[in-house]
Amino acid sequence: MTSRSDSTVRLGAALVLVGLALRPQILVIGPLVGGIQSDLALSHGVAGLLGSIPVLCMSLLAPFGPVLAASIGPRLGTAACVILIGAFGLLRGIAPEVVTVLVATVGVGAGMALVGPILPMIVRARLPDHPAAGTGAYVVGLVIGGSVTAALAVPIAAALGGWRGALVVISAAAFGSLVAWLWLMPRDAGFVRTAPSRPNLPWRRPSAWLLGVIVSSQSILFFGCATWLASVFVERGWGGTDAGSLVALLSGIGLVSTLAMPLLADRIGSRRTQLAFAAVLSIAGALVVALTPDEPSGSIVAFAAAALLGLGIGAYFPLALTLPVDVASDAQDAASISALMLLVGYLLAASAPVLLGVVRDATGSFDAVVWILVGVAVAMLPLALALSPSRLARAGRPEPAAE
């Protein structure tokens, strides 16, 4: 019993530590976007590509995650993804002009995309009795990495002479996660390598598509806030450090919510009621931001809004990512459902940062952007309520073989 418990703790630690490397490359952009725009002479729309490109990759390339895992194993597949994130993140930090920065962002996005379906596969195979806790472990890593990045991005940039130094430091930290992963995660026992093949996704399961739309709503709100929330408050007269602190608080409170949710999710309520409650918190936070545009720099009201958003988004995220593990029949099925969910979810979410930037350019202020985010938060509620037990069952039902 002790050996099994120790193994579970080791697996959980590996998932947390690898998760640290998987979101900083997105979260670092929001606090530093003003300096990046100034240095590279970017419009708000083009700057939004730095947030949209990784999300688009996380959609279009997610189906190839199971293919990578089948080729070299889930453990080494995850390691390869972290190498992509760290290496291309370093290139992005030293690239001299915008085209190379954008190309390197594609590489970062590829690593983030491929690892997305592999981690649920690992949870389903190695922690089948603890789906929410296993998913929560790597989600905690995601949120901690994002929170620390958002909080330290501006101070690191100030200490190292600009945004490039911050990107280099944050990218180099990914290799620490790589070492921890390879040390803590046991080798894939009984793994049999298979030749790369076409991704096999559950295209004909309508409820699996619903999972994708649920993920998209949370992702649009999260990536929209991560990219532009600081800029919203800078436009309202806040200093860069205070505005960046809002993003850090959103991520930090999200961490608390993310930590608590896996501990409670398998014990209290249904997935539908849990997601609905998270949606209500998100709506409240977005409305406070929209309805209080004149709050002075450092206002407690604005920080309360960021906290509400963090609570709602932070709870919604691990619950949504747990759904494929809940309904899957085995590890491969979990990877397939997750790949389709991420394909649909992130494809819809990928346009959010750049389109919100275009709206800002077209209207001359962030007012319309904020109300769009309110609308997205509101949409999260009926989507959660649509997730009935019968729909969950259909999402996990294997497709009949083609005749």
Side-chain angles (χ1 to χ4, degrees):
M1 183 69 177
T2 301
S3 176
R4 184 174 180 181
S5 177
D6 290 345
S7 175
T8 299
V9 170
R10 185 183 180 98
L11 292 172
L15 290 165
V16 170
L17 291 171
V18 80
L20 294 175
L22 305 183
R23 285 296 179 272
Q25 295 291 335
I26 292 180
L27 270 294
V28 73
I29 297 302
L32 302 179
V33 69
I36 297 172
Q37 285 181 270
S38 177
D39 191 26
L40 298 178
L42 304 180
S43 68
H44 287 85
V46 175
L49 288 173
L50 296 173
S52 287
I53 287 174
V55 185
L56 184 61
C57 290
M58 288 160 67
S59 167
L60 299 179
L61 299 181
F64 295 94
V67 176
L68 175 64
S71 300
I72 62 176
R75 176 177 175 268
L76 291 181
T78 299
C81 293
V82 175
I83 291 171
L84 282 175
I85 293 168
F88 279 101
L90 288 172
L91 176 60
R92 189 162 68 158
I94 64 175
E97 37 74 39
V98 64
V99 173
T100 308
V101 170
L102 293 176
V103 170
T105 302
V106 174
V108 167
M112 295 168 62
L114 294 172
V115 80
I118 298 177
L119 294 177
M121 176 188 295
I122 292 170
V123 171
R124 184 64 180 81
R126 296 181 183 264
L127 296 167
D129 297 328
H130 305 284
T135 304
Y138 70 79
V139 172
V140 164
L142 297 179
V143 178
I144 290 176
S147 301
V148 172
T149 296
L152 297 183
V154 173
I156 292 174
L160 298 179
W163 61 273
R164 294 183 185 276
L167 261 62
V168 167
V169 168
I170 288 163
S171 300
F175 293 98
S177 291
L178 173 65
V179 172
W181 174 257
L182 293 174
W183 177 49
L184 291 170
M185 180 59 60
R187 296 179 184 273
D188 296 311
F191 169 71
V192 178
R193 180 178 179 180
T194 61
S197 60
R198 186 179 65 180
N200 181 26
L201 301 184
W203 298 109
R204 289 183 288 172
R205 297 189 220 176
S207 294
W209 288 77
L210 174 61
L211 304 189
V213 178
I214 286 171
V215 168
S216 76
S217 64
Q218 184 273 343
S219 298
I220 290 170
L221 184 60
F222 172 72
F223 291 119
C225 289
T227 305
W228 295 120
L229 185 63
S231 296
V232 167
F233 281 88
V234 168
E235 183 176 87
R236 292 177 176 181
W238 284 44
T241 300
D242 282 346
S245 295
L246 289 173
V247 180
L249 179 65
L250 186 153
S251 295
I253 295 294
L255 170 60
V256 175
S257 186
T258 300
L259 281 168
M261 190 51 63
L263 299 176
L264 301 174
D266 291 334
R267 298 180 175 88
I268 299 175
S270 66
R271 292 287 185 262
R272 178 166 59 174
T273 56
Q274 293 161 0
L275 286 163
F277 180 68
V280 170
L281 292 173
S282 300
I283 293 167
L287 280 172
V288 173
V289 173
L291 295 173
T292 57
D294 299 323
E295 293 298 316
S297 185
S299 164
I300 192 172
V301 174
F303 280 98
L308 286 169
L309 281 167
L311 283 171
I313 294 171
Y316 210 90
F317 184 44
L319 291 170
L321 293 188
T322 300
L323 294 173
V325 182
D326 284 336
V327 304
S329 57
D330 55 36
Q332 187 60 47
D333 194 38
S336 297
I337 295 173
S338 180
L340 179 60
M341 181 182 77
L342 296 175
L343 170 64
V344 175
Y346 287 141
L347 183 62
L348 294 174
S351 61
V354 66
L355 289 181
L356 293 174
V358 169
V359 169
R360 165 60 180 80
D361 288 334
T363 62
S365 81
F366 278 105
D367 291 347
V369 170
V370 171
W371 281 106
I372 290 171
L373 293 176
V374 171
V376 173
V378 169
M380 291 165 62
L381 181 57
L383 287 170
L385 295 175
L387 199 64
S388 65
S390 61
R391 281 201 172 101
L392 271 178
R394 289 198 296 273
R397 189 176 301 148
E399 297 180 41
E403 297 181 359

